Amino acid sequence: MNMKKIKTAFLLVAILLFSINTANAQEITKYDYLEVIVFQKMDNSGKVKRIEVNNQKSLDGKTITIKAIENLDSTSELLNYMNENNWEFVDRKAMIEGNNPIWLSYLFRKQK
């Protein structure tokens, strides 16, 4: 009789532990997303004219600031700055309109 109680208790503990691990494995990772706009010259130099960041909710409570990002001089500085602050590069989209500067949208994400 004692052995049966021990087996039942062990089985219940095993089921409980398994269900906790399964619940954690199915949790969806949540991210904050940040869009940074980069304006570059049309010529082959690709020199950055300016970097612009709109006020976005994803910046609330973060160590990076709009001013710090907009003071960067190149896309490599932007990527390094964001990487140092644990923001992951996700995507880049370009928009070209005539002889105007190239407009690039860089998308970054950070785990909440």
Side-chain angles (χ1 to χ4, degrees):
M1 188 74 156
N2 250 348
M3 190 64 156
K4 188 174 182 180
K5 287 182 181 179
I6 292 173
K7 285 182 181 180
T8 304
F10 179 74
L11 182 60
L12 289 175
V13 169
I15 291 172
L16 178 64
L17 290 176
F18 179 74
S19 66
I20 290 171
N21 287 338
T22 303
N24 286 339
Q26 293 177 355
E27 183 176 317
I28 297 173
T29 305
K30 295 181 182 176
Y31 294 96
D32 280 327
Y33 288 89
L34 177 67
E35 183 181 30
V36 178
I37 307 297
V38 177
F39 295 92
Q40 290 184 336
K41 288 188 175 182
M42 281 292 291
D43 60 9
N44 289 334
S45 71
K47 184 174 179 178
V48 171
K49 292 186 81 163
R50 86 175 179 269
I51 297 175
E52 186 177 299
V53 180
N54 294 329
N55 194 9
Q56 299 171 45
K57 189 175 181 178
S58 59
L59 287 173
D60 294 346
K62 302 295 188 295
T63 57
I64 64 172
T65 63
I66 292 173
K67 186 176 182 177
I69 295 171
E70 290 180 344
N71 285 336
L72 300 172
D73 295 322
S74 68
T75 54
S76 62
E77 284 182 13
L78 170 65
L79 294 171
N80 286 333
Y81 178 78
M82 298 303 283
N83 189 38
E84 289 169 3
N85 288 284
N86 299 318
W87 284 83
E88 177 186 0
F89 173 75
V90 177
D91 193 18
R92 181 184 80 173
K93 293 182 182 173
M95 172 86 61
I96 302 171
E97 296 178 3
N99 288 334
N100 295 330
I102 298 172
W103 176 92
L104 299 163
S105 170
Y106 285 82
L107 188 60
F108 298 92
R109 73 179 180 186
K110 182 176 181 122
Q111 189 171 346
K112 288 185 178 183

